[in-house]
């Protein structure tokens, strides 16, 4: 049975660290990705070679405000042609801007900066 980690009654970090410490690969699909929080698990990822079967893959979704989500649904209700390259680039820029805004909040500590450098590597 799946377990739900709400970080109120059930904390994700201890369980995730336990699983990652014995893992040969890791696949994540998240709706929100906190750049600075990566340092809390990166020691488990650093040992992976990056080769097939020994890598970490991270798929980040994008949070949309309810208003923006409604506007997009209404727009695609009349034009269901899928996504084109221009829209894909627009989404990529939006995600980069969200990450940039995360980094602009507060002053990063030395540990935050070191974690971000490991993530970039």
């Amino acid at each position: 049975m799946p377990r739900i980690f709400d970080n109120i009654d059930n904390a994700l970090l201890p369980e995730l660290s336990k699983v990652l410490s014995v893992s040969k690969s890791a696949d994540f699909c998240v709706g929100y990705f906190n750049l600075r929080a990566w340092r809390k698990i990166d020691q488990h990822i650093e040992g992976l070679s990056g080769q097939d079967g020994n890598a970490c893959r991270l798929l980040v979704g994008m949070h949309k405000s309810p208003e923006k989500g409604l506007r997009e649904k209404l727009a695609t209700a009349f034009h269901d042609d899928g996504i084109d390259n221009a829209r894909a680039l627009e989404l990529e820029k939006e995600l980069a801007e969200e990450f940039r805004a995360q980094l602009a909040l507060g002053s990063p500590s030395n540990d935050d900066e070191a974690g971000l450098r490991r993530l970039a590597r």
Side-chain angles (χ1 to χ4, degrees):
M1 178 168 192
R3 294 176 58 193
I4 297 173
F5 297 95
D6 57 11
N7 286 324
I8 297 169
D9 295 323
N10 298 307
L12 175 62
L13 184 58
E15 291 299 316
L16 185 58
S17 295
K18 189 185 321 179
V19 169
L20 287 173
S21 70
V22 296
S23 298
K24 296 189 186 311
S25 66
D27 292 328
F28 297 98
C29 180
V30 298
Y32 176 79
F33 181 63
N34 184 312
L35 292 165
R36 290 182 182 156
W38 181 257
R39 68 183 173 89
K40 305 250 182 185
I41 63 164
D42 69 359
Q43 72 272 14
H44 302 296
I45 307 302
E46 288 287 309
L48 302 177
S49 69
Q51 303 298 317
D52 284 345
N54 192 241
C56 175
R57 299 184 305 169
L58 174 64
L59 176 64
V60 180
M62 293 180 65
H63 167 76
K64 292 181 189 162
S65 69
E67 179 184 348
K68 186 173 182 176
L70 177 60
R71 287 178 190 270
E72 286 186 4
K73 286 189 186 336
L74 290 173
T76 58
F78 300 103
H79 309 300
D80 195 10
D81 298 333
I83 187 169
D84 60 8
N85 285 339
R87 180 64 180 138
L89 286 173
E90 184 181 321
L91 290 170
E92 187 177 312
K93 286 179 184 177
E94 284 180 30
L95 182 58
E97 183 55 40
E98 285 182 21
F99 286 153
R100 192 175 1 269
Q102 268 189 42
L103 295 176
L105 293 174
S107 299
S109 67
N110 289 339
D111 287 342
D112 289 337
E113 183 176 345
L116 289 169
R117 290 187 187 283
R118 287 190 299 272
L119 173 60
R121 230 186 13 252

